[in-house]
Amino acid sequence: MAVRIRMRSLSAACTALLVLAIVPAGAQAPTPTSGARVHGFRQAAAYLNDADRPMGGRWIHERTGFTLDLLEIQSVPQGFIWVRSFPRNDKGEPHTQEHLLLSKGDRGRAMASLETMALSGSSAFTQQLRTAYHFNTAAGPETFYTIFERQ
């Protein structure tokens, strides 16, 4: 139960950072400064576009070391999450976890149903030392944040 609570608080913090990263059209974006702290995350880098305007940053969760890169990309709302998934043996646990989260079990079936209703798509792949999940939606930012929280 304690792990579930921590993961939910980390998800809430990531969502809060994403909400803070959105700047309404025409508004002046704040100048990012390395070392800023927001909701338990420390900014490790600021990403600038070709006009030296902020377009994202790298944030490190201070308690867990989780790395969150935020980039403003002019397309449909999308996310890419990867986790280090060191195999303990050769039985394929990281790859099995990928299937359980996206398509099998109660959680996977619930996620598949949500994606259908949210005009969303997702996929995943497992490499030797990491598992990656990517998702997008054509339904706009509000739906994206719902999908992001579930991911």
Side-chain angles (χ1 to χ4, degrees), residues 63-130:
R63 187 172 51 81
T64 64
F66 178 80
T67 301
L68 177 65
D69 286 313
L70 296 172
L71 293 172
E72 179 183 348
I73 300 172
Q74 294 180 358
S75 69
V76 298
Q78 58 187 304
F80 183 91
I81 301 169
W82 63 268
V83 294
R84 293 184 187 109
S85 51
F86 299 108
R88 295 178 183 231
N89 54 44
D90 62 355
K91 294 183 180 178
E93 287 94 342
H95 187 70
T96 301
Q97 175 183 330
E98 170 192 325
H99 284 275
L100 288 173
L101 290 175
L102 289 183
S103 60
K104 307 291 186 222
D106 294 339
R107 186 175 177 92
R109 285 190 297 273
M111 189 66 191
S113 294
L114 175 63
E115 285 183 353
T116 300
M117 298 302 291
L119 301 173
S120 178
S122 71
S123 191
F125 59 89
T126 304
Q127 295 177 318
Q128 187 173 2
L129 299 176
R130 74 176 62 138

Side-chain angles (χ1 to χ4, degrees), residues 7-8 26 41 45 48 56 62 76 83 89 92 102 126 133 137-138 145:
M7 290 305 290
R8 284 186 184 187
F41 282 83
L48 305 176
E62 293 180 319
V76 298
V83 294
N89 54 44
L102 289 183
T126 304
Y133 304 89
T137 181
Y145 291 121

